[in-house]
Amino acid sequence: QVQLVESGGGLVQTGGSLRLSCAASGRIFSIDDMAWYRQGAGKQREAVASVTSGGTSNYADSVKGRFTISRDNARNMVYLEMTSLKAEDTAVYYCNAQIHTVGGVRSNTWGQGTQVTVSS
């Protein structure tokens, strides 16, 4: 009933920037927290950044000062601006959102992921 679709991943050199976007669609009543996670090869999925519906954000220590999360509540979108990228940022990035559907269901929804590769 609801889905998240990420875009904006790709290949970038060390020190470069990328902007990820995630669009929520479907029978959405409201969205609580939205977040970005990532999973590197052979690693566990980890939280990168999150933002509440009111705009309060939190970041993993490894990305503080380099990444910025933002959201557009009117468009049901969340963004991740990534700067000063490092090789260790290479991972599949996943969008996550706590969505309340029109039918009254609370759905912990994940996107399909988008690959970010940082080359040295």
Side-chain angles (χ1 to χ4, degrees):
Q1 289 191 350
V2 295
Q3 66 174 352
L4 298 172
V5 177
E6 302 101 333
S7 61
L11 175 65
V12 64
Q13 291 187 331
T14 300
S17 300
L18 277 177
R19 187 190 194 216
L20 305 183
S21 300
C22 173
S25 63
R27 294 170 50 82
I28 298 171
F29 178 76
S30 65
I31 303 177
D32 291 337
D33 292 1
M34 303 185 82
W36 288 95
Y37 287 73
R38 68 185 181 186
Q39 187 167 17
K43 299 180 180 180
Q44 290 188 331
R45 191 173 297 189
E46 62 176 355
V48 175
S50 65
V51 60
T52 67
S53 57
T56 300
S57 57
N58 283 287
Y59 298 91
D61 288 342
S62 59
V63 306
K64 281 181 181 177
R66 300 188 298 121
F67 291 10
T68 302
I69 189 171
S70 61
R71 63 189 284 175
D72 183 336
N73 291 331
R75 298 178 63 192
N76 291 331
M77 295 196 67
V78 64
Y79 307 95
L80 187 67
E81 189 77 37
M82 304 184 292
T83 64
S84 301
L85 283 161
K86 306 175 182 179
E88 50 263 45
D89 295 318
T90 296
V92 177
Y93 284 71
Y94 297 90
C95 178
N96 173 265
Q98 308 303 314
I99 298 176
H100 295 271
T101 71
V102 171
V105 174
R106 184 177 184 272
S107 173
N108 179 30
T109 306
W110 291 90
Q112 82 288 352
T114 185
Q115 177 71 46
V116 171
T117 303
V118 184
S119 66
S120 56

